Amino acid sequence: GAMSGPSMPQAKAALRAGLATLRPQDHFEIIDFDDQTKPVFGRAVPATSGNIAQALEALVGIEAIGGTMMSPALERAFHPPGGHGLRQIVFITDGAVHGAGPLFAMIERGLGKARLFTVGIGAAPNARFMRKAAEAGRGSSTFIANVNEVNDQMSGLFARLSKPAATDFAIDWGQPAETAIALVPDLYAGQPLVTFAQLSGPPTQVKVRGKTPSDILQVNLQPQQFQSGVSKL
């Protein structure tokens, strides 16, 4: 119900923009949630022209009613029947996130190898939860204060998600390291990958390894690429 007014048309426009980025080999599902969780298909389906047309028709009938019951919707997104490959979940809400602790625990427990991207519209969402949830899901968080910017920002997000440059990163710091985040996020075209770690001494060599769509990526960073004090990788 909180999405009555301009928020819902903007959210629908953003989803239409997202559907336009899908390729025939992709699978997708749309989950409408308020007091109830209502998947459009009931499973992840191929992005055929017929399925996309059915999704667009379903979007027309979605209304801004009811409450904001996030947990059942997220649980459904974590374990959708059908689909394969890298699973990317885009969680969009303009409702305040209450009970962030149990929700965060559920995300860590149930997300598996999927990626989670959070989008908060307006001033209500819990910014800390949205950021931490995205970090746990090796994704990113987007905050849109002005509902008139929803379509542009969401179109940009979906464009990035269609081009993962490298995934499944592992970093060998060459010594015990206290890292800022447990899982390194994926790398997307046009977006830098930044991570931090606290080391007991200057690094001698840092090895970064990941997967690209066609090969294994491995980069060895040498001592001259670091400065004393704080260095950014």
Side-chain angles (χ1 to χ4, degrees):
M3 292 190 72
S4 59
S7 294
M8 182 59 78
Q10 288 285 351
K12 289 183 179 182
L15 286 177
R16 284 193 290 270
L19 290 170
T21 69
L22 295 177
R23 305 161 300 176
Q25 65 267 35
D26 293 330
H27 286 65
F28 76 103
E29 168 70 297
I30 295 175
I31 300 174
D32 171 28
F33 70 97
D34 41 54
D35 296 314
Q36 302 177 17
T37 297
K38 296 162 283 187
V40 170
F41 296 98
R43 61 188 178 91
V45 298
T48 63
S49 58
N51 285 335
I52 290 176
Q54 184 176 341
L56 291 172
E57 183 178 351
L59 283 180
V60 174
I62 293 177
E63 299 178 359
I65 58 175
T68 311
M69 300 296 291
M70 300 178 183
S71 181
L74 285 171
E75 287 277 14
R76 181 65 187 235
F78 293 163
H79 307 288
H84 61 277
L86 178 64
R87 196 154 39 88
Q88 299 172 313
I89 301 167
V90 181
F91 176 55
I92 308 170
T93 181
D94 78 337
V97 180
H98 300 296
L103 273 173
F104 187 64
M106 184 195 70
I107 290 168
E108 289 188 313
R109 181 179 67 251
L111 189 60
K113 293 184 178 180
R115 306 302 195 255
L116 177 64
F117 299 82
T118 59
V119 179
I121 302 174
N126 182 319
R128 182 179 182 278
F129 166 79
M130 302 290 269
R131 283 195 297 266
K132 296 292 288 184
E135 286 179 4
R138 283 179 284 189
S140 62
S141 55
T142 302
F143 295 94
I144 308 172
N146 185 342
V147 294
N148 294 319
E149 298 175 358
V150 170
N151 192 38
D152 288 343
Q153 294 218 38
M154 291 300 297
S155 296
L157 172 61
F158 283 122
R160 290 196 302 274
L161 298 192
S162 69
K163 302 174 184 176
T167 64
D168 298 311
F169 278 99
I171 300 178
D172 180 0
W173 297 93
Q175 59 181 288
E178 182 179 343
T179 56
I181 54 177
L183 296 172
V184 181
D186 295 334
L187 177 66
Y188 290 87
Q191 188 175 40
L193 188 158
V194 180
T195 188
F196 298 90
Q198 181 173 320
L199 310 177
S200 58
T204 56
Q205 181 175 265
V206 176
K207 298 179 181 179
V208 182
R209 185 179 178 89
K211 296 179 182 177
T212 70
S214 60
D215 204 354
I216 298 296
L217 170 70
Q218 182 162 318
V219 179
N220 297 327
L221 302 178
Q222 302 301 323
Q224 62 267 27
Q225 295 175 267
F226 294 89
Q227 301 174 351
S228 60
V230 176
S231 299
K232 184 170 70 173
L233 171 60

